[in-house]
Amino acid sequence: INGTTLPLTGTGTAAVQLLKSAGFDTIVIPLPWRVFWPTRSLNSVLDCKVSHSPPCSIKFTGASWNYTRIIQQIVAKSGVAGDKYYFGMSSRADNIPAGGQYKAEILFYNLYNQVIGSQTLTFTDGTHGFESLTAYYTVPNTYYRILFRFTFQKTMGTAWFDSAILMRAP
């Protein structure tokens, strides 16, 4: 409500935000987003005309040869079985067909670089405004790194990804 001040009360719980690039504009912890072929660089897929949390989204467009586009970030964070994480991603879609891949994932790796657990958020095909998907995941074993990635593999259509979040839950 414009101009109205409301008192707030309650108890908050601090969480550690690991992925600090909700708008994909400032990469802080710990490694830059890695972009895989055929995308040449992160800047080549930034779309600053469309955003869910300013200033820019990542834009992928389907191609008839149906190659897979992936952007990922590694978080060098270790922990133990029972650690709980909250993660999410928002995505907008225009004319996305069925089939292929349109998702965000987190994967947890052990000391030997083996996946010990993962969680996937699959976005809705078709046309829609920003759809925000979130999930909680409890890690089953000791882990030494986390991989956050989003994948787009479609023969046509356009998807914008934005507002990535990965937080350790209490």
Side-chain angles (χ1 to χ4, degrees), residues 16 18 75 77-80 82-87 106 108 135-139 143 146 166-169:
V16 178
L18 298 175
V75 179
K77 175 76 175 164
S78 61
V80 297
D83 284 355
K84 190 171 185 177
Y85 284 87
Y86 172 77
F87 93 107
I106 55 169
F108 293 84
Y136 282 94
Y137 182 75
T138 302
V139 186
Y143 60 96
I146 304 168
L166 177 62
M167 297 176 74
R168 174 101 182 264

Side-chain angles (χ1 to χ4, degrees), residues 99-155:
Q101 301 178 70
Y102 178 25
K103 63 186 178 181
E105 302 168 277
I106 55 169
L107 296 96
F108 293 84
Y109 289 83
N110 66 14
L111 185 60
Y112 306 103
N113 206 30
Q114 298 167 320
V115 175
I116 57 158
S118 65
Q119 177 78 32
T120 302
L121 302 173
T122 303
F123 292 96
T124 306
D125 295 330
T127 299
H128 54 78
F130 275 101
E131 172 184 31
S132 296
L133 301 179
T134 61
Y136 282 94
Y137 182 75
T138 302
V139 186
N141 294 305
T142 301
Y143 60 96
Y144 290 88
R145 72 181 178 104
I146 304 168
L147 178 75
F148 185 99
R149 72 177 167 209
F150 50 100
T151 304
F152 186 76
Q153 179 210 9
K154 298 287 185 171
T155 56

